[in-house]
Amino acid sequence: MPTPARVLLIDDDETIRLSVARSLRAEGLVVLDAPDGDTLQRDLVRFVPDLVVLDWMLPGASGIQLAGRVRTTSDAAIVMLTARDEVDDRLRGFAEGADDYVVKPFAMAELVARVTAVLRRRGRIPSVVEVGDLVLDPDAAVVRRAGVTLDLTATEFRLLAFLAESRGRTLSKTQILTQVWGYDSVDPNLVEVHLSALRRKMEAHGPRLVHTVRGLGYRMSAVAA
């Protein structure tokens, strides 16, 4: 069995830090959290993280400064957390070696999905996702239900991949639009149209896996809502 992926989380907001740490641990990740970067160099050597989640605004050295230090001594991936949403700020973050960028306030499901996606790309967590009898292989772009290969469009595949990676969590239409289409300024009914088509293909071979959570959104689970 491969060792669990390790995440170093640095955020001075204790409420956010503990909540993020708890959610990442629920995904089977090993998490070390800290309120600032004072012990960063030691943690990089002793903890050896696969990924570092950095808040931009920190007491002492900023997240951007810490990202530069990570890059000089570690090959860990970096996910930045910040309230700064200007293009120049995001470009600066990527220039310092960030692999992804999550803007506050964020939905926990989005952050977890982004962290796991980065770790998956780096081969630190399995790429194949299983929900009940559904098996999704993002690398091969193949989906099987009860052993039958499903013929999905590119959009349906992206939609299913996001739902599967966020399995067990309720996702709003806005979250889905942002993650699957890359923006949320379109008709939310777009989600319903593609989800209905996806459900028909999936449910031709088994019970419902994507459940409607009235007034909130959708949740993928092998257990009925």
Side-chain angles (χ1 to χ4, degrees), residues 20-21 53 60 63 68 74 123 143 147 151 155 161 170 179 182 187 200 203 209 212 214:
V20 171
V53 178
S74 171
V143 179
D151 183 16
T155 299
T170 299
Q179 292 303 306
D187 188 349
R200 283 196 297 272
E203 291 169 18
L209 292 177
T212 300
R214 191 176 299 277

Side-chain angles (χ1 to χ4, degrees), residues 11-12 26 30 34 78 93 116 123 127 131 141 150-151 160:
D11 194 313
D12 62 321
V30 177
I78 299 173
T116 55
S127 61
V131 183
L150 304 186
D151 183 16
L160 179 58

Side-chain angles (χ1 to χ4, degrees), residues 22-193:
R22 183 168 55 250
S23 296
L24 293 177
R25 288 182 181 120
E27 293 296 312
L29 306 177
V30 177
V31 181
L32 175 66
D33 65 277
D36 53 49
D38 289 353
T39 62
L40 175 65
Q41 295 304 130
R42 184 186 68 191
D43 293 338
L44 290 175
V45 173
R46 295 184 180 179
F47 184 65
V48 194
D50 297 290
L51 183 145
V52 182
V53 178
L54 284 172
D55 185 25
W56 185 302
M57 301 299 292
L58 289 167
S62 70
I64 280 291
Q65 292 173 311
L66 295 179
R69 296 178 189 176
V70 172
R71 278 289 157 263
T72 61
T73 58
S74 171
D75 64 354
I78 299 173
V79 173
M80 297 292 301
L81 301 180
T82 179
R84 305 168 71 108
D85 193 26
E86 298 298 323
V87 173
D88 287 346
D89 292 326
R90 279 181 283 174
L91 291 176
R92 184 182 174 195
F94 288 128
E96 289 296 333
D99 294 83
D100 208 344
Y101 194 101
V102 180
V103 178
K104 294 181 176 180
F106 55 82
M108 191 61 68
E110 177 188 358
L111 173 60
V112 171
R114 286 176 179 266
V115 167
T116 55
V118 172
L119 289 169
R120 186 170 290 112
R121 288 198 298 270
R122 287 181 163 236
R124 284 301 290 121
I125 59 177
S127 61
V128 174
V129 180
E130 297 185 21
V131 183
D133 61 355
L134 182 134
V135 179
L136 183 147
D137 186 342
D139 293 337
V142 171
V143 179
R144 294 185 178 86
R145 181 85 200 268
V148 178
T149 300
L150 304 186
D151 183 16
L152 304 183
T153 66
T155 299
E156 289 167 353
F157 187 88
R158 291 197 305 272
L159 174 58
L160 179 58
F162 180 54
L163 291 168
E165 288 177 354
S166 306
R167 58 196 179 279
R169 299 184 178 87
T170 299
L171 303 171
S172 68
K173 289 182 181 179
T174 299
Q175 287 175 274
I176 295 172
L177 284 169
T178 301
Q179 292 303 306
V180 177
W181 280 268
Y183 47 84
D184 59 10
S185 56
V186 295
D187 188 349
N189 289 328
L190 190 65
V191 174
E192 294 182 12
V193 171

